[in-house]
Amino acid sequence: MSVLKHSGPRTRLDDLTFLRKIANIVQNQHAMNNWARFWGGLFMFGLLLGYSCQRPDDFTTNPEDSLEFSLDTLRFDTVFTSLGSATRSVKVYNRANKAIRISSISVASGAASKFRLNVDGIPGNEATDVEILANDSIYVFGEVTINPDEPLSSSPFVIQDELIFETNGNTQSVMLEAWGQNANYIPSRFGKGGVALLSCDLNEVVWDDPKPYVIYGVLVIDSCTLRIPAGTQIYVHGGIARTFDENEDLVVYNDGLIFALPQGKLQVEGTLEDPVVFQGDRLEEPFGEVPGQWVGIRLSSQGNSFEYAEVKNSLLGILVDSSAQLSLQNTQIYNTSGPGLVGQHASIDATNCLFYNNGSFSVQLGYGGDYTFDYCTLASFGVDAPALSLSNGICYDPLCQSFDIYRLNAAFRNSIVYGSRRDEISLSDFTAGMDPGSFNISLENCLVRVDELLDIDEGGYPDFLLDQCSPCINAGSSDAVFADADEDDYQLDTLSLAEGQALPINGILKDLIENDRDSQTPDIGCFEYQYE
């Protein structure tokens, strides 16, 4: 009878070879009787069972024995110009001195995901009880098929999902990321959490490529004028970004911001037929009208202008910083989770503009500045904040024990400030009326909604409708104003109190959508009522 010799520990392949040799020896013993064959087969079965199964106490159950991954994002870095597929892999390591059993490996979106998995050779978007030997690893392969000709609702610019690992009560994840549409990615297709500095020595850059522009990170405009012609499509990918500062401390911030520095300018030149729309890049249901998908636009410079533009689905619409300037013409800012337009010690001129579905103030003008709003509509419904906030100060602590004051000049003409609250205007004079020149506000031929604001016992302004808002229409909750606020239709109702109550303003002959204004008795707000 032959004797098998083995020196040193056997590898997994050695064990298989060893078992095969045992089987050959057993099968070649022609003189072996039936009992010997029986015991030989039983011996073989025992060896195979011992090889293929680990005892429960051979697997670590320590929650601290987590998995490690070769990367944190499985990125499919191909922009498809035609229907195609791509496959990438991530290596999963078990650094423990015992085998580990992964309860579940799955794609977060399940069967609806654009991604497909293959876990250590087994296809499917979910795998259970996956075992990794001590100090060993496995491969997880991901595949995505992209058809860039599909609409954005089916194949967005950035397709994301998560690969979820559940092990010993812990949940770990690897991001899945692919690009579904051919576009100009700013700063690049790998720019999430990064910053792109647009600089051109005080010259001009024009975004006139017919392909959309997708801001994938933060766009900082410095010493450059960025001009965006009519019809240009701007999509911003938001989310949470993480980085480390110079002290190696973790910094978490919101990604997806357009920021014009003091020497940078943003000039948006849309038309009624081809507006320039700034929005999130998730257009598939149910993301199409969800607020808070990206940060917004911040301006710290002079010479910024928006004409026939829409800004939507952001945390805030446009923030105009101290000493910065903005001209808004026929622009809409809506579906923001915070304020629509913020002016802070700034200069803003707005004409024929519409602000609605803002999670906070529609327009917030604080720490003074110079502001003019003509034929604008501020509509606020179902929000625990007034549509308009005016202030000449800024607080530096929660109790406002430390603050600064700067004079406020704010003029509203032929504008609507209306919504579901009893008071849709908030006034805050940090001088408590001691310096009237620092709190200079006026609303002329406007439709507003105020109530407690007029109560002197509540610290209000009892002469508001006589002094600052004159002549004004103070509308109540049951008065007809808009056609259908529930459907975000802010055209005027057939019986609207705003009809025919404005005074003509030189040079403003049309409304937001270029309907002619009545030359003698135009309507209040951004829309002129159209009689059939």
Side-chain angles (χ1 to χ4, degrees):
M1 185 174 182
S2 300
V3 178
L4 294 179
K5 295 183 179 180
H6 181 82
S7 59
R10 287 193 300 268
T11 66
R12 190 172 182 178
L13 182 59
D14 292 332
D15 284 335
L16 289 173
T17 303
F18 174 73
L19 292 174
R20 292 191 185 101
K21 289 183 178 180
I22 289 291
N24 289 335
I25 292 172
V26 172
Q27 292 170 2
N28 290 331
Q29 301 305 310
H30 299 292
M32 182 178 292
N33 58 31
N34 291 336
W35 280 107
R37 288 192 179 92
F38 169 78
W39 287 111
L42 187 62
F43 174 66
M44 262 298 298
F45 175 76
L47 284 175
L48 289 170
L49 185 64
Y51 174 78
S52 61
C53 300
Q54 301 249 13
R55 293 179 302 171
D57 56 2
D58 287 335
F59 288 91
T60 176
T61 58
N62 187 348
E64 295 183 1
D65 289 334
S66 58
L67 304 172
E68 291 185 16
F69 308 101
S70 58
L71 41 79
D72 58 9
T73 300
L74 190 58
R75 182 175 286 116
F76 299 78
D77 54 353
T78 300
V79 174
F80 296 93
T81 57
S82 60
L83 180 65
S85 299
T87 302
R88 300 290 184 268
S89 65
V90 56
K91 200 169 185 179
V92 185
Y93 297 94
N94 172 24
R95 304 297 191 189
N97 293 322
K98 285 187 175 183
I100 197 167
R101 181 178 287 123
I102 306 172
S103 303
S104 172
I105 303 175
S106 61
V107 180
S109 298
S113 178
K114 295 280 187 181
F115 299 93
R116 298 176 299 281
L117 294 185
N118 185 302
V119 180
D120 210 21
I122 302 174
N125 270 20
E126 183 174 8
T128 58
D129 296 330
V130 178
E131 300 173 359
I132 308 179
L133 298 178
N135 297 301
D136 205 347
S137 62
I138 64 170
Y139 279 98
V140 175
F141 293 90
E143 183 184 42
V144 62
T145 299
I146 300 296
N147 183 357
D149 295 326
E150 287 182 340
L152 283 174
S153 59
S154 301
S155 179
F157 289 107
V158 182
I159 300 172
Q160 290 184 316
D161 214 321
E162 277 189 292
L163 187 57
I164 306 297
F165 296 81
E166 296 182 1
T167 312
N168 294 338
N170 292 326
T171 299
Q172 296 174 268
S173 65
V174 171
M175 290 297 299
L176 299 171
E177 183 179 275
W179 290 272
Q181 297 283 334
N182 196 9
N184 299 288
Y185 290 88
I186 307 296
S188 73
R189 288 178 285 114
F190 315 105
K192 182 180 180 181
V195 177
L197 185 65
L198 183 62
S199 181
C200 62
D201 296 326
L202 300 179
N203 290 313
E204 181 180 88
V205 171
V206 181
W207 280 7
D208 56 359
D209 194 301
K211 295 192 300 293
Y213 289 82
V214 180
I215 297 174
Y216 196 52
V218 175
L219 173 65
V220 177
I221 307 169
D222 180 38
S223 66
C224 197
T225 296
L226 175 58
R227 187 163 65 86
I228 304 178
T232 304
Q233 303 172 65
I234 309 293
Y235 299 89
V236 187
H237 185 85
I240 301 298
R242 297 171 175 83
T243 187
F244 292 90
D245 61 16
E246 61 275 6
N247 298 319
E248 297 300 318
D249 294 326
L250 179 64
V251 178
V252 179
Y253 62 96
N254 290 306
D255 202 9
L257 169 68
I258 302 173
F259 188 6
L261 296 181
Q263 289 188 311
K265 298 179 183 179
L266 186 56
Q267 296 181 348
V268 180
E269 303 169 348
T271 64
L272 177 64
E273 295 76 17
D274 294 305
V276 175
V277 181
F278 297 82
Q279 61 186 312
D281 66 338
R282 299 293 301 273
L283 302 185
E284 69 273 28
E285 291 291 342
F287 293 96
E289 301 300 329
V290 174
Q293 297 182 40
W294 56 291
V295 176
I297 301 171
R298 180 175 176 178
L299 306 174
S300 297
S301 58
Q302 300 283 315
N304 300 287
S305 61
F306 283 62
E307 187 170 359
Y308 288 100
E310 295 181 28
V311 180
K312 65 176 185 175
N313 299 353
S314 52
L315 291 174
L316 60 86
I318 302 177
L319 167 62
V320 188
D321 270 349
S322 177
S323 301
Q325 181 270 329
L326 170 64
S327 173
L328 287 176
Q329 305 287 328
N330 299 75
T331 291
Q332 301 181 52
I333 301 177
Y334 58 100
N335 286 358
T336 62
S337 56
L341 175 65
V342 179
Q344 194 170 69
H345 191 22
S347 176
I348 299 175
D349 295 296
T351 302
N352 282 335
C353 292
L354 173 61
F355 308 87
Y356 69 96
N357 273 2
N358 307 114
S360 180
F361 309 104
S362 296
V363 174
Q364 180 181 9
L365 308 177
Y367 192 26
D370 298 290
Y371 309 100
T372 301
F373 287 74
D374 293 331
Y375 286 114
C376 290
T377 296
L378 286 62
S380 179
F381 291 86
V383 178
D384 190 22
L388 174 63
S389 173
L390 300 172
S391 169
N392 59 358
I394 184 172
C395 297
Y396 296 116
D397 62 84
L399 298 178
C400 206
Q401 295 176 333
S402 176
F403 59 88
D404 277 330
I405 298 174
Y406 186 79
R407 57 117 185 100
L408 171 68
N409 294 321
F412 289 76
R413 296 185 296 178
N414 298 344
S415 295
I416 296 175
V417 185
Y418 184 78
S420 56
R421 286 171 53 96
R422 294 171 63 184
D423 287 278
E424 289 297 347
I425 296 177
S426 171
L427 304 179
S428 181
D429 181 2
F430 276 58
T431 70
M434 301 302 294
D435 183 6
S438 70
F439 195 68
N440 181 24
I441 64 173
S442 66
L443 292 87
E444 298 178 9
N445 303 102
C446 292
L447 185 150
V448 301
R449 184 176 182 187
V450 292
D451 184 7
E452 294 180 358
L453 179 74
L454 308 176
D455 189 346
I456 191 172
D457 294 332
E458 296 296 329
Y461 298 79
D463 296 327
F464 173 73
L465 293 176
L466 298 175
D467 296 337
Q468 290 98 340
C469 193
S470 177
C472 282
I473 300 171
N474 188 17
S477 60
S478 60
D479 289 322
V481 179
F482 299 123
D484 193 344
D486 291 336
E487 296 296 325
D488 290 328
D489 183 356
Y490 299 103
Q491 298 263 2
L492 298 183
D493 184 83
T494 55
L495 301 177
S496 176
L497 296 181
E499 289 183 35
Q501 300 301 310
L503 286 181
I505 299 176
N506 289 336
I508 306 177
L509 305 179
K510 295 182 180 294
D511 70 357
L512 171 63
I513 53 177
E514 294 191 354
N515 290 318
D516 291 332
R517 296 256 181 208
D518 188 288
S519 61
Q520 300 299 317
T521 56
D523 299 336
I524 300 175
C526 64
F527 293 110
E528 186 81 5
Y529 184 78
Q530 299 302 297
Y531 294 92
E532 296 181 357

